[in-house]
Amino acid sequence: MALTLGQVLLQAGQTMKDKLVVVFGGSGFLGTHIVRALCKDGWRVRVACRRPHRALALQVNGQVGQVQLVQANIRMPASIDRALQGADAVVNLVGVLFEEGRQKFTSLHVRGAGLVASRAAAHGIANLVHMSALGADATSPSRYARSKAEGETRVRDAVPDAVILRPSVVFGPGDGLFERFAALAVLSPVLPLIGGGHSRFQPLYAGDLARAVLAALNTPQARGTIFALGGPEVMTLKQIMELVVHTIRRRRLLLPVPWFAANLLGWAGEIAGALPFVTPFLTRDQVLLLKSDNVVDDSMPGLADLGVTGLETAQAIVPDYLVRYRPHGQFNDEVLA
Ligand SMILES: NC(=O)c1ccc[n+]([C@@H]2O[C@H](COP(=O)([O-])OP(=O)(O)OC[C@H]3O[C@@H](n4cnc5c(N)ncnc54)[C@H](OP(=O)(O)O)[C@@H]3O)[C@@H](O)[C@H]2O)c1
């Protein structure tokens, strides 16, 4: 017998938690994976971002009415307050890798993060997960890394119980690392190995990071802790590039670029990025970031402390979403030596 809409909603409600989590920045790369995991875990999810009309696809992750999209800008306190109405928990994912217009590191990572936390506290919400980044350091030469560290301090000042997650680079469909290099390799016969490609990373699968966010929200013992999150293996920038070109079956020259030349490239990237609709391919601040390894310090609490084990490797996941960059896509079964 056909069900009425009311019966469908009732059934949906029975499998949903009664709890509402607001995800600031839920429409971005990490947000897409985290919203899906939150829906599966039964949360009602309110995604708050500046352009919710671009995030309609998120609604298919949940049951009818489970995902709500609202307009909010974390630079505007009133919009944060509106988004927080009736919420039980908050996840803040808003961040940028390069500055653009009013979207500055300080306005988002420091003031914006502090505002989200202080407004959450004002609404009586202590269950807050804040997404920082591995390498957050108040003494770093990189403004990105310094702003992430200052943001953490503001968040903890406002909500001492906040859980702060510091992931290394994250991979998965839509990422800014493997996909970005693959897109570049389609266009260019040469790929730059910034600083010789020796910088080390600990790539973490977005699905595993999403599990960490769920654990952070659901585990009272995690409250007030900073977690450093990395994947199962350490890879140099060169190894990441090699995996990309091997996966997409394209022979490309990996050209070592010394630091001074990388700085010039970063400068050129910033000039290009000042043009409308152009994303800078590299900035001088990113070059500074690349000078330090981006790997987990094992003395800090990590994924295992959140109960997240059985991590995915880049080798296992990346081919699934990079296959479209191969000549002839999934119909290409050539194996490069
Ligand atoms: N991706 C990684 O490998 C990685 C690694 C370590 C740490 N992180 C951190 O993880 C967080 C999420 O990264 P991501 O890769 O998912 O970034 P992303 O794809 O660029 O997503 C950013 C999100 O923030 C929203 N946003 C931007 N400015 C906003 C504002 N003023 N007010 C409200 N929402 C705003 C964007 O939507 P609208 O543009 O519609 O507002 C989008 O939903 C960031 O804090 C980043 O620093 C990422």
Side-chain angles (χ1 to χ4, degrees):
M1 194 181 69
L3 295 175
T4 64
L5 180 60
Q7 285 168 319
V8 172
L9 284 172
L10 190 64
Q11 285 190 354
Q14 281 164 353
T15 59
M16 268 191 244
K17 283 186 182 164
D18 213 16
K19 299 230 167 150
L20 171 66
V21 59
V22 179
V23 185
F24 288 94
S27 62
F29 161 56
L30 296 187
T32 306
H33 294 269
I34 290 166
V35 167
R36 188 179 309 136
L38 287 165
C39 287
K40 270 194 179 166
D41 195 46
W43 288 83
R44 289 190 294 128
V45 185
R46 184 180 293 157
V47 174
C49 57
R50 292 171 304 160
R51 296 165 294 193
H53 57 284
R54 293 195 183 175
L56 289 170
L58 285 176
Q59 289 181 316
V60 299
N61 288 305
Q63 304 189 32
V64 178
Q66 193 175 0
V67 179
Q68 183 193 3
L69 302 168
V70 297
Q71 206 279 333
N73 185 332
I74 67 161
R75 292 185 277 115
M76 319 265 172
S79 72
I80 299 176
D81 278 331
R82 274 197 305 275
L84 289 175
Q85 290 299 326
D88 300 284
V90 178
V91 177
N92 182 13
L93 303 174
V94 177
V96 286
L97 206 50
F98 56 89
E99 299 183 315
E100 204 178 17
R102 291 184 203 157
Q103 294 279 95
K104 304 282 188 211
F105 293 148
T106 42
S107 61
L108 301 180
H109 301 165
V110 184
R111 281 198 298 277
L115 270 176
V116 168
S118 60
R119 297 319 302 157
H123 285 254
I125 306 166
N127 197 358
L128 166 65
V129 176
H130 175 73
M131 194 61 69
S132 183
L134 206 60
D137 177 357
T139 62
S140 169
S142 150
R143 290 191 305 113
Y144 172 88
R146 283 203 305 275
S147 68
K148 281 293 195 183
E150 286 171 41
E152 290 182 359
T153 307
R154 297 234 183 159
V155 168
R156 282 159 75 93
D157 285 349
V159 181
D161 269 354
V163 178
I164 292 175
L165 302 181
R166 289 184 182 172
S168 182
V169 291
V170 185
F171 65 90
D175 70 37
L177 184 68
F178 291 88
E179 285 239 24
R180 195 156 152 216
F181 290 141
L184 186 62
V186 169
L187 299 173
S188 166
V190 179
L191 295 178
L193 284 179
I194 305 296
H198 305 298
S199 320
R200 292 156 73 239
F201 299 90
Q202 215 170 324
L204 175 64
Y205 176 48
D208 292 331
L209 178 57
R211 289 198 285 145
V213 171
L214 282 189
L217 284 172
N218 292 331
T219 316
Q221 298 88 310
R223 302 276 152 85
T225 310
I226 300 181
F227 292 90
L229 311 179
E233 45 190 26
V234 173
M235 296 177 81
T236 62
L237 184 62
K238 186 172 181 212
Q239 288 172 325
I240 289 174
M241 296 269 209
E242 285 170 346
L243 176 60
V244 169
V245 291
H246 176 78
T247 304
I248 67 172
R249 313 280 196 258
R250 290 174 194 267
R251 292 181 204 279
R252 293 292 181 261
L253 175 65
L254 303 183
L255 184 70
V257 177
W259 291 115
F260 77 90
N263 207 38
L264 287 177
L265 267 183
W267 184 61
E270 286 167 38
I271 292 175
L275 299 170
F277 310 116
V278 178
T279 303
F281 45 87
L282 188 71
T283 65
R284 282 172 293 175
D285 200 67
Q286 287 169 354
V287 174
L288 287 175
L289 275 177
L290 284 168
K291 285 186 176 174
S292 309
D293 286 338
N294 198 252
V295 294
V296 165
D297 168 358
D298 287 331
S299 66
M300 285 187 70
L303 285 162
D305 300 283
L306 284 166
V308 178
T309 54
L311 304 178
E312 296 287 359
T313 61
Q315 281 82 356
I317 299 285
V318 164
D320 274 353
Y321 64 97
L322 287 197
V323 73
R324 68 193 178 100
Y325 294 95
R326 286 180 191 169
H328 312 297
Q330 75 268 38
F331 300 103
N332 183 328
D333 51 10
E334 180 190 358
V335 178
L336 294 186

